[in-house]
Amino acid sequence: SSPCEITIHGPATNPRWELLVDSQVKFTDGFNLTIAKDYKLIVSSLPNEQKAVLVDPSGNEVNVYQQQNLAMTNFIRIPSGLSIFMVYGVEGLIEFRYREERDVV
């Protein structure tokens, strides 16, 4: 599976997302917080960069891990094959970055 980084630009209220694989929800994540306009939430499952931070317009970061919805699978990774990424509670822009990995035989 591939790690990913999700950036949600405010405004957003209790943002959450799901990764569907074969039309079934396999992975979920979300945060119990409000993201104001011009703020952004960055959630990363990248190795050595795993984080959940709220970034203000000046670039200052605040750790918001404690506001992650622990009833979800958290810090999603993308499995091989076709997946659908669904996001809820967000009015602003969403950026999605992942690392494509290949096995060579």
Side-chain angles (χ1 to χ4, degrees):
S1 61
S2 177
C4 63
E5 181 177 277
I6 300 158
T7 302
I8 296 176
H9 297 264
T13 303
N14 298 327
R16 66 182 178 89
W17 44 96
E18 303 172 336
L19 189 69
L20 286 76
V21 179
D22 296 326
S23 300
Q24 294 186 5
V25 176
K26 295 291 183 180
F27 303 100
T28 58
D29 201 357
F31 286 79
N32 299 314
L33 55 80
T34 298
I35 305 168
K37 186 175 186 247
D38 299 324
Y39 281 70
K40 62 185 174 182
L41 171 67
I42 301 174
V43 180
S44 174
S45 64
L46 299 170
N48 301 321
E49 295 179 38
Q50 188 172 6
K51 64 182 176 180
V53 295
L54 187 63
V55 183
D56 70 18
S58 299
N60 299 314
E61 295 183 356
V62 174
N63 185 341
V64 292
Y65 175 76
Q66 70 278 6
Q67 291 172 277
Q68 193 169 31
N69 185 335
L70 299 179
M72 298 184 168
T73 61
N74 305 123
F75 294 109
I76 66 170
R77 297 175 65 89
I78 304 168
S80 297
L82 179 65
S83 298
I84 299 172
F85 185 69
M86 304 286 292
V87 180
Y88 306 94
V90 178
E91 296 176 42
L93 176 73
I94 300 165
E95 295 177 62
F96 188 79
R97 181 172 67 120
Y98 67 97
R99 182 170 61 201
E100 185 173 356
E101 298 178 351
R102 299 176 188 257
D103 292 326
V104 179
V105 180

